[in-house]
């Protein structure tokens, strides 16, 4: 099963590469309305202008979603798309945002399914209204069941398993997997994957990801309580940087590894404060989600034939290869 999934990842990434040959640059988009981009597009499609809504479960202040949005804006500029971006971490509110997009009669919707059960009914309404819907970032196990056309993201179980194996290679014995949003299917899958392959002890710690001081104090308290923890694994770059502070405050010898990265996290890997990051390429996810809807509307294309996801990760970034992504991270695209 594991070999097949990795084979699928290689094939799917080839599809992603073909999509990207259409070109990319800065774009327009906005939190709930269109806004100007920082740089002009290198070229623009001559197809009629369409409107695409992107609705995510992003929490305020989480820089990971800045990368998603930049990728979406780049595709929108190239494709002559009016991008309407909205987000809310509350599942019911996110569902309402999708309903708003339906009411606006958009030409396509790109959505994250972090809480798939809460999205099911409103996604069905969009499809009944003839609006094509694609998934990205969260919802790998649910996108086909809910009738989405395509999915772009990382297989979180595979990513977690890969991280668990890396911890084995590093000689870790007891890791603390910090989950910053309880009930988020992708985050739960990551830690479950780690536990599956890691030969040592894996312990989950739930924190309130919207309250970073609380995150810091909770991790610190746990490290003080158990000095046998030798690795802290976080599920997002901001939480990794906070975990580094917690390790220092607790007087712990634990090291920190994480999923996802941003420019500050890249610096932390360069400096040795964070040992590694698992990159799922959020910029690519945002780009492909918008570009795929344009391709579907203008040429009837469906990536993966509508049955296989386009995988954008996982890939490890550590001290051995961090220099190769540092320049892109500094631009805010990795």
């Amino acid at each position: 099963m594991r070999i097949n999934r990795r084979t699928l990842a290689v094939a799917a990434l080839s599809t992603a590469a073909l999509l990207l040959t259409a070109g990319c640059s800065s774009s327009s988009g906005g939190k709930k309305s269109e806004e100007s981009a920082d740089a002009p597009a290198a070229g623009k499609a001559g197809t009629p202008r369409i409107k695409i809504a992107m609705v995510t479960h992003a929490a305020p202040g989480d820089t990971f979603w800045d990368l998603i949005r930049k990728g979406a804006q780049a595709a929108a500029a190239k494709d002559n798309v009016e991008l309407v971006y909205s987000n809310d971490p509350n599942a019911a509110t996110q569902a309402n945002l999708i309903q708003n997009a339906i009411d606006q009669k958009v030409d396509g919707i790109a959505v994250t399914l972090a809480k798939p059960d809460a999205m099911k009914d409103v996604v069905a309404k969009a499809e009944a209204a003839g609006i094509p819907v694609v998934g990205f970032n969260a919802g790998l196990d649910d996108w086909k069941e809910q009738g989405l056309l395509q999915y772009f993201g990382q297989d979180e179980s595979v990513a977690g398993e890969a991280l668990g194996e890396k911890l084995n290679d590093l000689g870790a014995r007891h890791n603390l997997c910090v989950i910053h949003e309880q009930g988020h299917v992708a985050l739960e899958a990551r830690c479950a994957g780690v536990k599956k392959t890691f030969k040592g002890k894996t312990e989950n710690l739930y924190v309130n990801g919207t309250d970073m001081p609380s995150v810091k104090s909770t991790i610190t308290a746990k490290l003080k309580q158990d000095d046998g923890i030798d690795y802290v694994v976080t599920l997002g770059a901001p939480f990794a940087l906070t975990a580094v502070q917690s390790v220092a405050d607790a007087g712990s010898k634990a090291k920190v590894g994480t999923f996802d990265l941003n420019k500050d996290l890249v610096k932390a890997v360069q400096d040795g404060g964070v040992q590694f990051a698992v990159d799922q390429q959020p910029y690519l996810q945002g780009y492909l989600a918008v570009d795929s809807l344009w391709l579907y509307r203008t040429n009837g294309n469906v990536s993966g034939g509508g049955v296989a996801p386009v995988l954008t990760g996982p890939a490890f970034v550590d001290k051995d290869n961090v220099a190769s992504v540092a320049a892109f991270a500094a631009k805010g695209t990795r």
Side-chain angles (χ1 to χ4, degrees):
M1 178 65 177
R2 181 176 175 78
I3 295 175
N4 290 338
R5 294 164 95 179
R6 290 192 179 280
T7 301
L8 176 60
V10 173
L13 282 172
S14 297
T15 303
L18 289 173
L19 285 173
L20 280 175
T21 57
C24 63
S25 91
S26 297
S27 166
S28 59
K31 190 167 184 179
K32 291 188 181 180
S33 61
E34 198 174 16
E35 68 182 21
S36 297
D38 295 334
K44 183 175 289 187
T47 52
R49 190 163 177 79
I50 62 174
K51 179 185 287 189
I52 291 175
M54 175 171 278
V55 186
T56 78
H57 64 279
D62 189 340
T63 55
F64 173 87
W65 296 96
D66 294 341
L67 302 177
I68 292 270
R69 192 166 165 185
K70 284 183 178 180
Q73 289 173 337
K78 186 269 300 179
D79 294 336
N80 193 24
V81 164
E82 177 187 353
L83 178 66
V84 181
Y85 179 93
S86 60
N87 63 286
D88 199 288
N90 179 277
T93 306
Q94 187 189 6
N96 288 336
L97 293 173
I98 297 173
Q99 183 61 57
N100 291 343
I102 296 171
D103 294 341
Q104 293 179 46
K105 302 184 186 304
V106 298
D107 298 292
I109 297 174
V111 64
T112 59
L113 301 178
K115 307 282 178 64
D117 289 343
M119 301 296 111
K120 187 174 183 179
D121 289 345
V122 73
V123 166
K125 288 181 181 179
E127 293 163 349
I131 300 173
V133 183
V134 301
F136 69 102
N137 180 259
L140 179 69
D141 294 331
D142 299 276
W143 69 279
K144 283 192 289 186
E145 180 183 344
Q146 294 198 16
L148 275 61
L149 287 174
Q150 303 161 80
Y151 181 84
F152 306 93
Q154 175 174 263
D155 186 322
E156 303 296 359
S157 295
V158 169
E161 291 168 17
L163 194 150
E165 291 174 344
K166 188 171 185 66
L167 291 178
N168 291 333
D169 293 340
L170 294 171
R173 296 182 178 182
H174 182 180
N175 89 83
L176 187 67
C177 199
V178 182
I179 301 177
H180 57 267
E181 185 180 345
Q182 191 164 4
H184 185 314
V185 292
L187 301 185
E188 298 282 354
R190 288 178 176 181
C191 288
V194 173
K195 187 174 183 178
K196 183 177 180 180
T197 57
F198 180 49
K199 296 178 181 179
K201 179 180 179 180
T202 296
E203 186 175 358
N204 291 354
L205 178 68
Y206 291 92
V207 298
N208 180 3
T210 62
D211 184 352
M212 202 60 78
S214 173
V215 172
K216 180 181 176 182
S217 62
T218 303
I219 298 175
T220 300
K222 183 63 179 178
L223 291 173
K224 286 182 176 180
Q225 176 188 345
D226 189 346
D227 60 7
I229 297 170
D230 57 4
Y231 249 95
V232 178
V233 173
T234 63
L235 308 184
F239 306 102
L241 298 172
T242 297
V244 171
Q245 298 174 13
S246 295
V247 168
D249 290 350
S252 171
K253 295 182 180 179
K255 295 181 179 180
V256 177
T258 190
F259 289 82
D260 301 333
L261 48 91
N262 59 24
K263 62 181 180 180
D264 293 328
L265 196 283
V266 166
K267 292 178 182 177
V269 172
Q270 290 175 314
D271 296 341
V274 175
Q275 303 305 303
F276 61 82
V278 179
D279 183 19
Q280 63 174 301
Q281 301 186 93
Y283 181 96
L284 184 60
Q285 292 176 10
Y287 186 98
L288 293 178
V290 171
D291 199 43
S292 69
L293 285 166
W294 173 75
L295 284 167
Y296 178 76
R297 278 295 192 184
T298 60
N299 203 46
N301 297 118
V302 179
S303 299
V307 296
V310 174
L311 301 183
T312 62
F316 281 96
V317 176
D318 56 24
K319 63 180 180 180
D320 293 330
N321 64 358
V322 66
S324 66
V325 302
F328 301 114
K331 295 192 301 182
T333 56
R334 285 295 293 272

